[in-house]
Amino acid sequence: MKNNPVVWFEIYVENMERARAFYEATLDVTLEMMQPPTDEISKEANMEMWSFPGPKDNETAMITPGASGMLVKMEGFRPGAGGTLVYFGCEECGATAARAVKNGGRTVSEKMSIGEYGFIALVHDTEGNMIGLHSMQ
């Protein structure tokens, strides 16, 4: 196994426009539209995908810290709590959590210390997914 065992994540959404606006405004990033792997999957699953910024090829993604991922709208896959928890790195997680609330999210857990590993906050996005925010300050 390489240094980073997580190489990809997908956050399932019901309303792509709302979810995309939330993540772009909260994390101060621009998501990029991605083409589904095949036309059959796209038509069959009514699939729409928007990628977070990150390395563009698998070789780089395998050796670079962090993981790339995307928002996915696809029939049969629902958003919600209880699944995998994705943590997004940020400058100051309290400020990012406040932006999440300003953009339609909800606070689950205010900024808290995790000792020498920095700070975390937990929020729900506009689709009901819980996400983590991590910072060293």
Side-chain angles (χ1 to χ4, degrees):
M1 179 183 306
K2 303 271 183 168
N3 292 338
N4 182 15
V6 178
V7 296
W8 189 256
F9 65 87
E10 293 178 351
I11 299 173
Y12 296 107
V13 306
E14 289 181 345
N15 183 318
M16 183 60 78
E17 184 177 333
R18 176 181 65 200
R20 198 174 117 225
F22 171 83
Y23 282 97
E24 287 183 336
T26 298
L27 300 176
D28 194 25
V29 296
T30 300
L31 302 183
E32 179 181 326
M33 183 177 227
M34 301 290 292
Q35 293 301 317
T38 66
D39 285 340
E40 288 101 35
I41 290 174
S42 175
K43 289 175 187 168
E44 183 179 314
N46 192 23
M47 183 181 235
E48 183 179 356
M49 304 181 309
W50 287 81
S51 178
F52 287 90
K56 294 292 184 191
D57 64 46
N58 285 341
E59 189 59 34
T60 303
M62 295 296 285
I63 60 174
T64 303
S68 295
M70 67 174 58
L71 299 179
V72 177
K73 180 179 182 238
M74 183 167 59
E75 288 180 18
F77 291 84
R78 312 271 307 164
T84 301
L85 181 59
V86 175
Y87 279 84
F88 290 93
C90 49
E91 288 295 315
E92 199 280 306
C93 65
T96 304
R99 280 198 309 274
V101 171
K102 179 181 174 186
N103 288 288
R106 185 172 52 85
T107 301
V108 174
S109 178
E110 299 283 340
K111 178 181 175 178
M112 70 179 106
S113 173
I114 53 172
E116 66 184 282
Y117 302 105
F119 299 87
I120 61 168
L122 300 174
V123 298
H124 277 193
D125 69 7
T126 55
E127 307 302 293
N129 295 302
M130 185 164 54
I131 59 170
L133 305 169
H134 175 266
S135 64
M136 290 307 293
Q137 39 176 321

